[in-house]
Amino acid sequence: MAQPRQGQPRKPRAGEPSTMDAVRLRRVNRWLAQDLGGELADLYIDSGETSVPEAYRSRSRQDFLNRLTGDIRRPGFAMVIAETDRLVGCAFGFPVSSDGFWWLGFDGALPQSIEHLTASGDVFAITSILVQPHELDQAMARRLQERLLSDHQASLGATLVDQNDHPTLASLRSWGWLDLGEVWRPAGPTMLRALVLPLGERTTARLEGLAHDAWTRWPG
């Protein structure tokens, strides 16, 4: 999952509104997401994918568009975009199916609490967050994440991150995401980390043990 580039913040000029004040969040359906494909691919090139070490990222616009097309076809696909006078960010994903296919390749036994939440259809997977680099990119990325998950009233967020993408892992951890362990997908070039975000007091309580264990599992 892409995250904002870690760069030097640009301070607003005198009298200039902050970026976040000018940003509007809007949910779009799958047909509009398809229409925005070219703009989203541009955003992908400019966004946090460039923060991943060269050897561990896909630089192809077409690869991104292929992945986007695959996600759009998933049942329940959803996207939230951030815009000013142009597209400056987006987050998208889909509900995790109750058959648990999302967890394919997980190393070891999936925690029982995660199995139960998956079987009940309460897990939503975020597959990408893309944000134009600027002074408040981290805040915008988190705002997009929260809007996407709250729109679906999910009990648990889920995502997969390249284990070598340490800036993204650090950002997610600071936002409350918990590390479950390693996932290997035959079609992918590297090992991934599976992360989850408990939403609501009840889910947080159910995952209390995971929160403690995450401190020892988190990659350094």
Side-chain angles (χ1 to χ4, degrees), residues 8 10 42 54 71 116 147 153 162 173 176 200 217:
Q8 182 66 33
R10 181 186 69 81
D42 291 340
E54 185 82 6
D71 283 359
H116 289 165
R147 172 66 182 274
Q153 300 182 328
D162 187 320
R173 184 185 188 188
R217 273 198 302 267

Side-chain angles (χ1 to χ4, degrees), residues 70-71 74-78 92-97 102 123-127 148:
D71 283 359
R74 298 265 193 169
F77 169 83
F92 57 88
F94 47 84
V96 172
S97 61
W102 169 263
V123 183
F124 189 90
I126 298 180
T127 53
L148 187 60

Side-chain angles (χ1 to χ4, degrees), residues 39-211:
E39 292 179 64
L40 293 169
D42 291 340
L43 184 62
Y44 166 76
I45 296 300
D46 294 338
S47 73
E49 286 286 332
T50 57
S51 71
V52 183
E54 185 82 6
Y56 303 111
R57 67 181 176 90
S58 168
R59 292 165 288 167
S60 167
R61 284 171 55 96
Q62 191 57 50
D63 284 348
F64 168 77
L65 288 170
N66 291 342
R67 287 190 282 120
L68 174 62
T69 298
D71 283 359
I72 287 174
R73 292 172 178 167
R74 298 265 193 169
F77 169 83
M79 176 182 287
V80 174
I81 62 173
E83 53 190 354
T84 51
D85 56 343
R86 60 191 176 90
L87 182 68
V88 295
C90 76
F92 57 88
F94 47 84
V96 172
S97 61
S98 59
D99 62 10
F101 184 77
W102 169 263
W103 306 110
L104 180 68
F106 184 79
D107 184 20
L110 193 66
Q112 192 173 58
S113 55
I114 304 298
E115 287 186 341
H116 289 165
L117 288 165
T118 301
S120 61
D122 291 329
V123 183
F124 189 90
I126 298 180
T127 53
S128 281
I129 300 178
L130 307 175
V131 176
Q132 278 283 356
H134 55 69
E135 76 277 9
L136 291 172
D137 50 8
Q138 290 286 329
M140 187 183 298
R142 187 169 187 179
R143 189 176 162 196
L144 282 163
Q145 163 198 288
E146 291 172 348
R147 172 66 182 274
L148 187 60
L149 292 172
S150 65
D151 278 357
H152 284 267
Q153 300 182 328
S155 297
L156 189 74
T159 195
L160 299 175
V161 180
D162 187 320
Q163 67 175 359
N164 296 291
D165 186 359
H166 299 295
T168 294
L169 290 170
S171 293
L172 293 176
R173 184 185 188 188
S174 72
W175 298 350
W177 288 79
L178 309 176
D179 180 74
L180 289 185
E182 295 179 340
V183 171
W184 182 75
R185 295 285 173 83
T190 63
M191 191 70 71
L192 303 171
R193 304 297 301 185
L195 293 92
V196 294
L197 178 67
L199 303 165
E201 293 181 3
R202 185 175 179 181
T203 304
T204 300
R206 291 178 68 176
L207 302 185
E208 186 174 357
L210 291 180

